[in-house]
Amino acid sequence: MSRFIPPTARAGAADRAGGAAPLDRFGRPLRDLRISVTDRCNFRCRYCMPREVFGPGFAFLPRDQILSFEEIARVAHVAAGLGVRKVRLTGGEPLLRAELPRLVAMLAAIPDLEVALTTNGSLLASLAAELARAGLGRVTVSLDSLDDGVFRQMNDASFPVRLVLEGIEAAAAAGLAPVKVNAVVRRGVNDHTAVDLARHFHGSGHVLRFIEFMDVGTTNGWQLGEVVPAGELRDAVDAALPLEPVEPSYRGEVARRYRYRDGGGEIGFITSVTQPFCGDCTRSRLSAEGVLYTCLFASSGRDLREPLRSGASDAELTELLRGIWGAREDRYSEERSAATAGLPRVEMSYIGG
Ligand code: SAM
Ligand code: SF4
Ligand code: SF4
């Protein structure tokens, strides 16, 4: 595992809330807010929501405990005042949330804020144009294999790959290009179809990114032996379609970027396990019920719903967020070890990917 190298502390830019934009204990600014709009999903990816745990008896959040669009927009507004420049709607499956384009429009109205979405793509074909019209800036679609049988082994749902591909094309046609396509790779399950995915998206204008299988939550039976190191995948793709590295386009970019030497576009590798990137992590996460987490691997977060519902002012919410971020010292992926393995961790479908 790599050693944690804190970035040099930068002077915090003045934020709209009228103070210095907060830096955490390692000098990292708050730039991104991932918002889980539902903890429910129509897939049961074995690496995220295994059916044995998330079966018919599982107690998902009741409706009245989930933040309303107005409450979500308020948190986003306060966060934008503290330096957040991008919100990403996620879940669970965010497109299951009724009237999602209405929330997109509310968030897109916040100045200097980009609105992105991560989806399994199952409902995207019918919603892409409306989401784009509402102000969605970018979309990431998860697709782990082009082979229907392998796809089913990954997501434990009967859903044809073809419909996800239609969703990707609909998003691009609606102006959400370049569409990013995320593929989690598990050794022995879908790794043999990884190069096919690369060939398919080579030259398409969409950007495929392979993600190392992560030990998020405590229910997915993660084992290090199932992680295919991104370096191994890059070498496999490079052998079929020669690659060259691309410089990161912004600080905190999670994917190692490459371009095809023949001009066929870009591909990325997200090395969360083999080469963690905590030193540049500027992300926070808001669960569907309004708990704010400062790390994907956190065991606890801070409830914002109670202050939201008991009349806290924007200034009070701003100070609350500033304090939470200022106290942050998370760097789980860089500390991952036998000692961290047994710690409680929130599930990814709850906190948002
Ligand atoms: N349902 C949407 C989707 O699948 O795109 C959004 C939520 S999902 C939790 C967000 C992302 O997390 C997806 O790209 C998914 O593949 C990824 N993910 C979930 N569990 C993971 C794991 N154990 N390791 C790596 N990535 C994971
Ligand atoms: Fe659902 Fe996304 Fe998790 Fe798969 S990764 S179970 S699609 S939330
Ligand atoms: Fe950020 Fe936590 Fe992931 Fe590190 S482990 S990159 S701090 S979310």
Side-chain angles (χ1 to χ4, degrees), residues 3 58 86 92 112 233-234 246 254 278 284 304 316 323 350:
R3 205 166 52 81
F58 186 80
K86 183 163 107 187
D112 305 324
L233 287 167
R234 182 206 50 219
V246 178
V254 296
C278 302
S284 56
L304 301 185
E316 285 165 342
Y350 167 80

Side-chain angles (χ1 to χ4, degrees), residues 180-204:
K180 286 187 181 150
V181 179
N182 277 359
V184 175
V185 183
R186 287 182 87 169
R187 194 179 295 285
V189 185
N190 69 333
D191 51 341
H192 61 296
T193 64
V195 175
D196 292 344
L197 266 174
R199 283 190 201 283
H200 179 86
F201 290 109
H202 169 261
S204 67

